[in-house]
Amino acid sequence: VTGLQMAKAYAAMANGGHVMKPILVKSVVDMAGGVVLENLSQDVKAVTSPKVAKQLGDMLHLVTQPGGTAVTAHIDGYHAGGKTGTAQKYNSKTGRYDENNYVSSFIGFAPQNEPRILVYVVYDSPRTNGYYGGVVAAPVFKNIAEKTLNYLGIVPVFDIKKSVKPLTVVETKSVAKTDSSDVLLMALKNNTVPNFQGLPLRKVLQLMAQTSVKIQADGSGWVVTQ
């Protein structure tokens, strides 16, 4: 299959089982800035149920986790799903698979639950750093995806790590009313987390970046519950 066909297939998983018509040119504008042609997204058909698409996405996410074939594709702060490819090339002279030539690839999308981008990286006969897709192509996926997600302004989400002594939430005083990180740092010394309600999520992430505590954000905008 071609790279476009591969991307189209994996995009269907990312789109809840719906195949979308590939678009190479989004729009054409004239010198005055007027839109001459605009290609809109077209839903071709559903090939799986949203439930099955999610199950496939969960499986693809495991590929980037410890024990998977592409841990180098893991992006800190973002859940990504994908698949490695390591295929021996056909040698027309011998009529067999070539032991020294491979097509090595990785294809994936992120963020996993609400995909915004899909990246397909292919190496034709890689000669350095091995030939497995998880070794040569997956790191490139991570590099491209991470920079693109940052460019799109998609806020990273961090998982809460279990600790011997769990943190508790102080509900009495909101950081939003103090506009200072002093309350946060003082609370953490007491093994507690202050009340962030009323603060922009971006501000909370900036405050928590000063600490070793990893948080998981759900949604965007202002903090209403925690």
Side-chain angles (χ1 to χ4, degrees):
V1 298
T2 66
L4 183 60
Q5 289 172 322
M6 184 73 78
K8 182 179 177 181
Y10 274 79
M13 296 185 221
N15 287 324
H18 287 262
V19 173
M20 307 298 291
K21 181 180 179 180
I23 297 174
L24 296 180
V25 177
K26 183 178 181 180
S27 62
V28 177
V29 297
D30 57 28
M31 295 185 66
V35 178
V36 177
L37 171 68
E38 184 174 13
N39 291 315
L40 302 177
S41 299
Q42 295 184 37
D43 189 338
V44 179
K45 62 179 178 179
V47 291
T48 71
S49 68
K51 179 180 178 181
V52 171
K54 184 181 183 307
Q55 290 173 333
L56 290 169
D58 291 342
M59 294 177 188
L60 293 173
H61 174 60
L62 293 177
V63 174
T64 67
Q65 299 305 296
T69 57
V71 292
T72 53
H74 171 74
I75 311 170
D76 289 338
Y78 302 98
H79 284 185
K83 184 69 183 73
T84 59
T86 307
Q88 284 179 288
K89 297 175 68 173
Y90 175 71
N91 188 322
S92 59
K93 294 181 179 180
T94 62
R96 301 173 181 272
Y97 286 120
D98 196 322
E99 294 292 339
N100 300 311
N101 280 305
Y102 293 81
V103 175
S104 307
S105 63
F106 184 86
I107 186 168
F109 50 83
Q112 180 196 353
N113 294 329
E114 295 182 13
R116 292 289 304 278
I117 62 170
L118 183 141
V119 180
Y120 186 29
V121 179
V122 183
Y123 275 89
D124 187 6
S125 298
R127 297 301 182 191
T128 58
N129 300 324
Y131 58 85
Y132 289 108
V135 175
V136 296
V140 181
F141 162 84
K142 174 185 177 179
N143 192 27
I144 296 173
E146 188 171 37
K147 287 180 171 58
T148 305
L149 292 169
N150 289 332
Y151 173 78
L152 295 175
I154 301 174
V155 179
V157 176
F158 293 98
D159 294 328
I160 301 173
K161 291 185 177 181
K162 294 182 179 180
S163 59
V164 177
K165 188 177 181 182
L167 297 171
T168 57
V169 178
V170 178
E171 296 290 355
T172 55
K173 193 174 184 179
S174 173
V175 176
K177 296 179 181 179
T178 65
D179 194 27
S180 171
S181 61
D182 293 340
V183 175
L184 168 66
L185 299 177
M186 182 63 68
L188 290 175
K189 287 182 180 179
N190 297 324
N191 206 49
T192 59
V193 174
N195 181 3
F196 290 120
Q197 295 181 39
L199 270 185
L201 178 58
R202 185 179 296 275
K203 178 65 174 178
V204 174
L205 294 173
Q206 290 174 347
L207 286 171
M208 296 304 286
Q210 305 174 41
T211 74
S212 60
V213 179
K214 298 294 182 66
I215 66 172
Q216 180 172 344
D218 183 15
S220 60
W222 300 82
V223 177
V224 291
T225 60
Q226 70 184 76

